[in-house]
Amino acid sequence: MLNRRDLFVLGAAAGIALSPVAYAQSSFPDRPIRIVVPYASGSGTDNTARHFSQRVAMATGWTVIVDNKPGGNAFIGINDVLRSPADGYTLLYTGGSTHGVNSALFKKLPYDPLRDFVPVAPALFSPMVLLASPSLNVKTAAELVDLIRKNPGKYSAATGSPFQQLAVNLLRQQGKLDFQDVQYKGSGQSMTDLLGGHVDFTMVDGAAAMPQVHGGKLKALAVTSKRRVAAFPSTPTMAEAGLPDIQLNGWAGLFAKTGTPEPVLGKIREVFNAYFQSAEYKQFLDANAGFYEDLSPAQMMDFIRSEIARAQSTFQRAGIEPQ
């Protein structure tokens, strides 16, 4: 007898909706489910949300809509979810910046990442990738670190997001390195200046690194995941490269507003987790420098607490005061 995950995979592969009988335990959902992405259309977070929401809709017959609400450090999208009823029809897709780094950068957030939201399911993890300007002519991460150590204060790191700030500050602190920071409004501009030799190195998420690395314009020197990733099979981990064993992954997951009924949460979790654990989704993540880890809601909450604590201690040691 096929279990529900088998039915899900068969339905997704055929591109058809499953029979409504499979979801007859309750009337949920009887209208569209909206997934709020607090970032612009075309971003990596947005692309992933559109991918899995479409596959879930195809397999279940549910109507799932991705609604981009960018701006204000993601506060606009988050507040949109908080103003919506806690009924499971409005979900939030976000990750390491809003539910980790922001707690270290702002004295007072207009939301509480631990109290205002409950985890539905983690969707992806992606390592940060260490990249150096071609003008430095370094071939390994060890060569880059050696260059920085021999010339304290001379070289500069580009950061285009709070998560990149966290990554380069962990490298600075754990590697006992002295370099400058150059901040940009986004990773795109920082990558342009890296290619142009205006900054010397950066640490950026895998999806943003892929076009330049696979196009031969930049060399990936190391990844911050525990293991190598399929998108960069020849790139060593930080530990393999002889650097401080920095394990830092960008991540994103689905959240519901606190107070959402548990039966509704259970149904949403079952359906989305079935796709997140499918072979098709693994292929998607492999092609986009990501990977999946099966975390329970309790494990996800513990993970978020640890992300917040690490960001706060890292920025405090770096002398970066919350705004």
Side-chain angles (χ1 to χ4, degrees):
M1 178 180 295
L2 293 175
N3 60 29
R4 180 161 301 171
R5 183 167 301 165
D6 295 329
L7 289 171
F8 183 98
V9 174
L10 286 174
I16 59 174
L18 298 180
S19 167
V21 175
Y23 296 94
Q25 291 97 331
S26 73
S27 60
F28 180 88
D30 59 8
R31 61 182 189 274
I33 294 173
R34 186 168 63 104
I35 299 178
V36 174
V37 174
Y39 304 104
S41 176
S43 65
T45 305
D46 172 66
N47 291 338
T48 303
R50 291 183 185 278
H51 171 85
F52 67 68
S53 63
Q54 181 187 54
R55 297 311 192 276
V56 166
M58 288 168 58
T60 62
W62 295 4
T63 300
V64 185
I65 300 168
V66 174
D67 189 5
N68 297 92
K69 298 284 184 178
N73 297 295
F75 297 166
I76 293 173
I78 288 173
N79 285 333
D80 181 274
V81 177
L82 291 178
R83 288 193 298 266
S84 302
D87 55 10
Y89 286 97
T90 302
L91 304 175
L92 176 68
Y93 183 59
T94 189
S97 290
T98 63
H99 283 55
V101 180
N102 275 359
S103 294
L105 294 179
F106 296 93
K107 291 179 181 178
K108 185 172 178 59
L109 290 172
Y111 65 95
D112 188 314
L114 295 171
R115 295 181 184 177
D116 290 339
F117 300 98
V118 292
V120 173
L124 74 86
F125 295 84
S126 179
M128 303 298 282
V129 183
L130 179 63
L131 303 168
S133 168
S135 64
L136 296 186
N137 198 31
V138 296
K139 295 181 175 59
T140 67
E143 288 180 8
L144 174 63
V145 168
D146 186 57
L147 197 63
I148 295 170
R149 282 182 175 151
K150 289 178 177 177
N151 301 274
K154 177 180 178 180
Y155 295 104
S156 58
T159 59
S161 72
F163 212 80
Q164 283 183 274
Q165 283 184 268
L166 175 62
V168 299
N169 274 292
L170 281 171
L171 179 64
R172 172 187 283 116
Q173 291 167 16
Q174 294 189 28
K176 297 179 173 56
L177 302 175
D178 181 3
F179 54 80
Q180 304 174 48
D181 289 357
V182 181
Q183 295 185 18
Y184 294 87
K185 291 184 178 180
S187 60
Q189 186 181 358
S190 69
M191 293 286 280
T192 298
D193 275 14
L194 182 68
L195 286 165
H198 303 294
V199 287
D200 300 305
F201 71 97
T202 191
M203 295 178 73
V204 70
D205 66 273
M210 279 180 63
Q212 306 300 340
V213 173
H214 291 175
K217 294 182 179 180
L218 292 171
K219 179 178 173 58
L221 302 179
V223 294
T224 60
S225 48
K226 186 184 300 183
R227 296 176 294 274
R228 296 191 185 196
V229 293
F232 306 102
S234 62
T235 302
T237 65
M238 297 289 278
E240 289 175 327
L243 298 179
D245 188 12
I246 300 170
Q247 293 183 20
L248 175 71
N249 295 307
W251 62 274
L254 274 176
F255 294 86
K257 185 178 176 180
T258 297
T260 301
E262 191 56 43
V264 170
L265 283 174
K267 181 171 281 190
I268 296 171
R269 283 181 180 131
E270 181 181 17
V271 167
F272 281 93
N273 271 326
Y275 183 67
F276 292 153
Q277 295 173 25
S278 70
E280 180 187 348
Y281 190 56
K282 183 180 185 303
Q283 290 179 344
F284 171 82
L285 292 180
D286 285 349
N288 289 275
F291 59 93
Y292 172 80
E293 289 189 6
D294 185 10
L295 301 181
S296 69
Q299 289 171 324
M300 209 169 160
M301 287 295 282
D302 287 342
F303 172 72
I304 292 168
R305 289 188 187 96
S306 69
E307 289 283 282
I308 290 172
R310 176 167 61 177
Q312 289 174 337
S313 64
T314 299
F315 285 130
Q316 186 177 35
R317 289 194 301 270
I320 299 173
E321 295 291 332
Q323 301 175 4

